[in-house]
Amino acid sequence: MSASQPFEIVHRDPHSLARTSVLRTAHGTVRTPAFVGVATRASIKAVEPSALVDLGLQIVISNTYHLHLRPGEETIAELGGLHRFSGWTGPTMTDSGGFQVFSLGAAKEHGVGKVASIFPDDDARRRKTRPKGQSLVRLTEEGAAFRSIIDGSPRMFTPESVIRIERLLGADIIVPLDECTSPLHDEAYTRRAMERTHRWAERARAAFDLLRNDPTFPNPDQMLFGIVQGGAYEKPRKESARVIGGMGFDGYAIGGSLGRSKAEMHRVLEWTTPRLPEDRSRHLLGIGEIEDLFAAVARGIDTFDCAAPTRLARNGSVFLKGAPRHRINLRTAPFARDDRPIDPDCGCLACRNHSRAYLRHLCRAGELSFHRLATIHNLRFLVRLMADIRSAIAEGRLADLAREWNEAA
Ligand SMILES: [Zn+2]
């Protein structure tokens, strides 16, 4: 294969769909399987880009919705695009903003968390009955109208406008606007939303092609990944993988509801990845628990992003192989006089320099340095785990490594 090929499979696991690959972007290569750090507002909370480089993180994902609202894509483009603006010079993705439009808008009112819901009727009437600051979503074939969570101003995302925003932001990998459905939606609704997502994908693709290699944008060499939807329903999910997979995107992301249990998620992946082009990268949106990483890699996923590892860190939960669920909570009493590092084998800034007792003290005292140290540790843990997974695939022993981790938890 030529060195300039954007995606190249290096090893295949003989016992599963797992593979190792090299994903080449305009800002460097990603060796996969890889964890993608969540830098929602062009920043991984509490950690500056140079520390991310030091701990070995390869790629980050930022959020189109949040950056559109603040500071705005025009400002970021004027300042040279996301890479130059943030100082993170490595590979970068942006998501479409679709998930945030739906989850921060309507789902909040249902009290169901990561759920997308639609309120097609009179939002002026509804607004009177809702606390100030909550936005609503109005969904049409054209796009999604919503209100800014910052100032309540009306906004509209269309497949075309989101591509333009993402071109101005300048990440290496971008995705089209999609509609995220929730596990509570029935199959009929999920199918209608999926079909609309497919039409939006065509429109996004056309808008992207019009602007492809346009030197006026900060990063002319972007890749566009298609997003597979279809919820946790077999027929729509398989159909979405086939339709989106046939559109010739540079890579593929798997989005939307993955069901209500791990078993359902595994089935969704089994319906999806075999229907996507083998020679393109596959990203799983929003999944990152340790057992999920193994399960998804074995089902042919190359990259993942998940906010949980960094959010857990800020709440005092740090990863440790062999602890229950591979993590310990430093807030708890047993660590008050524990002079050991979190993990003597880790080698991160926190583990090289500080004891569990000191870190626990920082956490309980609300010291800001705790957020930075714990986040660095959790990211470093995932970086090392993904490197171990890549070696295991290369050596044909992924199943053994997965068993070792599952038995240790
Ligand atoms: Zn560490």
Side-chain angles (χ1 to χ4, degrees), residues 346 348 351 377:
C346 171
C348 82
C351 293
H377 170 80

Side-chain angles (χ1 to χ4, degrees), residues 356-375:
R356 295 174 184 180
Y358 179 66
L359 293 166
R360 175 178 190 271
H361 160 70
L362 293 180
C363 179
R364 285 165 52 88
E367 287 293 334
L368 299 180
S369 57
F370 179 76
H371 287 182
R372 181 168 188 271
L373 291 165
T375 303

Side-chain angles (χ1 to χ4, degrees), residues 342-343 346-352 376-378 380-381:
I342 302 166
D343 175 355
C346 171
C348 82
L349 198 65
C351 293
R352 280 201 318 270
I376 285 174
H377 170 80
N378 277 5
R380 176 71 191 151
F381 179 94

